[in-house]
């Protein structure tokens, strides 16, 4: 059986998509082409890392928050360019992995 591996950037961006939008975990998972339980698990891990102040989801300073906000705004703009009819793999990598379509 084939197991998909996602980059840390892709995982982090998927979590931020849920946090910063009005989408439910199930809706976001469907858009990204991943199982909702996978995304819920990623949300829990990111939340735990942020609570302890470590890991990729932790925000330590105001400057870090500003940089993260700038990155997420750019990501949101890039997401608007992806056509809704694209395949699930293309949507995830096209939206969340450095803005490149693969």
């Amino acid at each position: 059986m084939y197991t998909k591996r996602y980059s840390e950037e892709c995982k982090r961006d998927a979590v931020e998509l849920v946090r910063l939008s009005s989408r439910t975990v199930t809706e976001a998972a469907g858009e990204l082409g991943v199982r909702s339980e996978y995304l819920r698990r990623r949300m829990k891990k990111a939340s735990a890392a942020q609570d302890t102040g470590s890991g990729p989801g932790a925000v330590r300073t105001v400057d870090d928050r500003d940089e993260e906000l700038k990155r997420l705004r750019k990501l949101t703009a890039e997401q608007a360019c992806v056509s809704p009819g694209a395949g699930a793999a293309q949507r995830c990598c096209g939206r969340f992995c450095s803005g490149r379509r693969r």
Side-chain angles (χ1 to χ4, degrees):
M1 185 163 124
Y2 176 72
T3 302
K4 255 187 180 175
R5 302 280 179 176
Y6 298 101
S7 68
E8 285 302 315
E9 180 185 12
C10 190
K11 294 173 188 177
R12 186 176 43 248
D13 291 343
V15 169
E16 291 303 316
L17 175 68
V18 176
R19 284 185 179 164
L20 299 176
S21 71
S22 60
R23 295 175 182 93
T24 64
V25 172
T26 304
E27 290 170 342
E31 262 185 51
L32 298 173
V34 298
R35 293 185 1 230
S36 58
E37 285 307 311
Y38 169 79
L39 190 50
R40 279 191 189 91
R41 190 170 55 248
R42 294 301 320 158
M43 296 284 295
K44 284 182 184 180
K45 286 183 180 182
S47 179
Q50 192 168 13
D51 290 345
T52 62
S54 64
V59 178
R60 294 181 187 93
T61 66
V62 173
D63 290 336
D64 289 343
R65 290 179 64 133
D66 291 341
E67 288 298 316
E68 182 70 3
L69 184 58
K70 185 190 296 186
R71 186 184 71 80
L72 292 171
R73 284 183 176 152
K74 181 181 175 187
L75 177 67
T76 302
E78 290 171 355
Q79 289 174 355
C81 297
V82 177
S83 65
Q90 186 179 13
R91 279 196 306 247
C92 181
C93 291
R95 286 184 179 186
F96 296 109
C97 298
S98 305
R100 297 186 312 262
R101 286 190 181 187
R102 294 183 183 174

